[in-house]
Amino acid sequence: MEENKQEIIDEKDEAQNEESEQTVVEETDELEQLRQEKEEINNRLLRLQADYDNFRRRTQKEKEADRKYRSQSLVEELIPALDNFERALQVEVDGDAAKNFADGMKMVYDQFKAALEKEGVEEIPAKGEEFDPHMHQAIMQVEDENYESNIVIEELQKGYRLKDRVIRPSMVKVNQ
């Protein structure tokens, strides 16, 4: 009888051990599944943070570019007026009244040019420089032994840039 009791107890212990092993296996599987879910959520969070940082940097760069080139359309409109000022100042004048008028025009021209320079507008150097297709527009090519090959001989129309952006390329005559 005692042996029977012992067998029954052993069987109960075995059943309990099997149940607890099965419970441990189930809990381990559940724990592993939760770890994977946590890892996936963490990866998604990291990707979202990276996307947000990229978006923030991109919008910041766009804002900086807008601020940097905010006056571009105005400059494009004023450059022809600057050209006309320069042409008007090249005219020879006779008489005191005409010279005083020309001096006044020169002062307005200088003030106009200084205002553009303050905004970051600068002339593109051309004559005597090596031809750069990004800065110069070749209108003519000539052969002149006094200049090296691919050197700008004459500037036909001034070019301008706003900070580092070309607004209008210089129209030039280039040596072959």
Side-chain angles (χ1 to χ4, degrees), residues 12-176:
K12 282 183 180 180
D13 283 346
E14 268 183 45
Q16 285 176 348
N17 282 343
E18 285 178 17
E19 284 179 24
S20 59
E21 282 179 19
Q22 188 176 4
T23 305
V24 167
V25 168
E26 289 173 359
E27 288 177 353
T28 304
D29 289 345
E30 187 177 331
L31 182 63
E32 186 59 35
Q33 184 180 2
L34 289 173
R35 281 185 184 147
Q36 287 177 352
E37 286 178 18
K38 177 191 158 234
E39 188 67 30
E40 287 174 13
I41 290 171
N42 194 24
N43 286 339
R44 246 187 282 157
L45 174 65
L46 289 174
R47 274 190 240 110
L48 279 173
Q49 283 178 330
D51 288 345
Y52 177 72
D53 287 343
N54 291 339
F55 172 76
R56 196 178 77 241
R57 273 190 235 112
R58 186 173 54 250
T59 56
Q60 183 68 24
K61 283 182 182 179
E62 288 171 0
K63 284 180 185 178
E64 288 173 6
D66 286 347
R67 272 188 251 124
K68 188 174 182 180
Y69 301 112
R70 73 181 182 277
S71 59
Q72 180 173 344
S73 62
L74 177 63
V75 168
E76 288 171 348
E77 296 291 324
L78 293 177
I79 286 176
L82 189 64
D83 290 339
N84 289 332
F85 256 117
E86 289 173 351
R87 281 188 212 103
L89 291 174
Q90 290 175 352
V91 173
E92 291 291 324
V93 291
D94 292 329
D96 288 340
K99 286 184 181 181
N100 288 338
F101 182 74
D103 289 342
M105 289 283 288
K106 174 78 169 122
M107 285 190 280
V108 172
Y109 169 76
D110 290 340
Q111 190 176 17
F112 185 44
K113 198 168 177 184
L116 288 174
E117 287 173 358
K118 184 178 176 186
E119 278 298 311
V121 176
E122 43 188 47
E123 290 180 13
I124 296 173
K127 189 172 181 179
E129 298 286 323
E130 185 172 343
F131 177 75
D132 179 359
H134 300 291
M135 303 285 200
H136 306 122
Q137 182 178 356
I139 302 294
M140 300 171 64
Q141 277 191 329
V142 295
E143 286 188 41
D144 190 339
E145 294 176 6
N146 298 328
Y147 292 94
E148 293 181 27
S149 178
N150 209 28
I151 298 295
V152 174
I153 295 175
E154 183 180 345
E155 181 178 48
L156 304 171
Q157 184 181 41
K158 287 186 179 180
Y160 295 92
R161 66 177 162 220
L162 175 63
K163 300 189 177 30
D164 57 351
R165 185 181 286 179
V166 174
I167 300 297
R168 182 177 77 184
S170 299
M171 290 188 191
V172 296
K173 186 189 298 186
V174 181
N175 194 31
Q176 283 184 332

